[in-house]
Amino acid sequence: MNGTDTEKKKRRLDVFPAFFKVRDQRVIVVGHGAEAAAKVRLLGETNARIEVVSREIEPVLLQAIESVGAEHVDTDFHPGLLEGAALVFTAREDEALDRAVVEAARAAGVPVNAVDRPDLCDFYTGALVNRAPVAVAITSTGVGPVLARHIRARIEAMLPRATGDLAQLAESFRETVSRVIRDGAARRRFWARFFAGPVAAHVHSGRNDLARVETQRLLNGHADETGFVWLVGAGPGAEDLLTLRAQRLLQEADVIVYDALVPASVVAMGRRDAERISVGKRKGAHSVPQADTNRLLVELARQGRKVVRLKSGDPLVFGRAGEEMAALKEAGIGFEVVPGVTAAFAAAASAQLPLTLRGVASTLVFATGHNTRSETLPDWAGLALKGATVAVYMGRSVAASVSARLIAAGMKPATPVAIIENAAQAGERQFSGVLSDLSLLSGRDDVGGPVLIIIGDAVGHAGLENAEPLAVSAVLREAAA
């Protein structure tokens, strides 16, 4: 065998993945302790009739038996117990005893698994992801069970709990779809839209009644008139702070409409062939007017496309999602809001800053440096004076005015302040100071990324030991110049 053949063989499996039918079938577990209990709990995910064979059992196994409704057969193992069994597991924690069960099972023609003894197994049990009737099983063929469990955890997180509900809904319509849509290709297109469009969106959101209505619309041929829009929070910019739902939707979207503050690496997480449209704004740069963005979302959805409107942070926190939701409602377009990690939370986490703290701050204010009339320091000033922690978004250009007006209103100039630039991103910078220092921020031309300003006594309890002191750094910069 040459090197190429050897490499090909290494890439092939030594097992063939398959699922045993066990509904109402006897499945035998021979054992007395924790290893047997683990198999009983795993089998408890099925509708098998589970029988546990052992003269004595440990409390952990007894608890597992009771929790899944298994039957305890209080006797020593003997081959006669295997008659009519669909599967056998042996977890006797002794190789000779396990081998005896394996030999008896093979003599009876029953597939057998010896726990933690891959050389004795006829089959392996995978790490199971249960989305009944959908199931995913992962196996390392016995060489890396911990790795299989890690992979399972990732799939558990990625696969919505409602996946089984979606499959059951599909099953309830299967005969009708086959009868109404005779052409195989057309039927495949129907199911593609079913599993990746508004129907799936409604099921994943727990709106099964709307999912049935949408399925009927799709079946009647009317669903092509409208698509669906997800208003998705991209978080502060770090890819691993994107929610699992957001990741899934990016992979399903036909079009991604994104803001300038959303990093290219996050946009790139979308489906490779998805259209990407930038409508975002940066201070002083051209951007698409909000009304045009609203019309764009409606137009794309009316083309029957699945649209992700990707916004920095959380869509509902200074993200103008309210205007987009109103436009979609008026146009009769289905939509869903997917929350994201807002900048205040990301900044506070990076700075180890408790936004609320018993005896110090019990109120949290999300504020912006401007109101709709571009007035600095609108209504939240009074709350700040009462001891609230205030997180100021988009406040860099008005930092001096915020500082002056708060001090004039009665806030102590020594009130702690933290400033986080590019929170949770690779280029994050942290600055610390007091309220009277805040005026220095507006003149700093070395701070170009989005900043989040946090003001309040709770800031004094943050982990800002390595932060740049705002006042000192300004003096040093002037000296260096």
Side-chain angles (χ1 to χ4, degrees), residues 188-209:
R188 286 190 295 273
R189 289 194 297 272
F190 169 87
W191 288 119
R193 292 195 295 268
F194 177 95
F195 287 115
V199 174
H202 286 314
V203 171
H204 292 151
S205 299
R207 301 188 292 261
N208 290 348
D209 53 341

Side-chain angles (χ1 to χ4, degrees), residues 159-202:
L159 201 60
R161 285 282 172 187
T163 298
D165 296 334
L166 184 60
Q168 290 174 344
L169 179 62
E171 174 63 19
S172 71
F173 276 91
R174 188 174 63 173
E175 290 186 9
T176 302
V177 171
S178 296
R179 185 175 65 252
V180 173
I181 307 176
R182 299 288 186 177
D183 179 70
R187 198 158 54 241
R188 286 190 295 273
R189 289 194 297 272
F190 169 87
W191 288 119
R193 292 195 295 268
F194 177 95
F195 287 115
V199 174
H202 286 314

Side-chain angles (χ1 to χ4, degrees), residues 63 80 162 172 175 216 224 252 298 300 352 384 440 451:
Q63 183 180 27
S172 71
E175 290 186 9
Q216 195 61 57
D224 286 342
E252 296 177 2
V298 170
L300 291 170
Q352 299 177 12
L440 300 171
V451 299

Side-chain angles (χ1 to χ4, degrees), residues 226-279:
T226 58
F228 200 87
V229 177
W230 290 272
L231 307 178
V232 176
E239 296 168 43
D240 56 354
L241 286 180
L242 200 67
T243 66
L244 293 168
R245 183 180 296 182
Q247 291 182 42
R248 174 175 59 81
L249 293 174
L250 281 170
Q251 283 295 310
E252 296 177 2
D254 300 315
V255 187
I256 301 170
V257 180
Y258 63 96
D259 285 340
L261 290 179
V262 178
S265 59
V266 173
V267 179
M269 295 174 72
R271 203 176 75 200
R272 184 172 300 176
D273 60 342
E275 182 180 357
R276 290 158 170 79
I277 302 174
S278 174
V279 295

Side-chain angles (χ1 to χ4, degrees), residues 234-237 258-264 266 280-283 310-313 394 422 425 448-450:
Y258 63 96
D259 285 340
L261 290 179
V262 178
V266 173
K281 62 178 68 177
R282 288 188 183 275
K283 184 173 177 60
L310 197 57
K311 295 172 173 287
S312 177
M394 301 170 285
N422 294 320
Q425 298 185 44

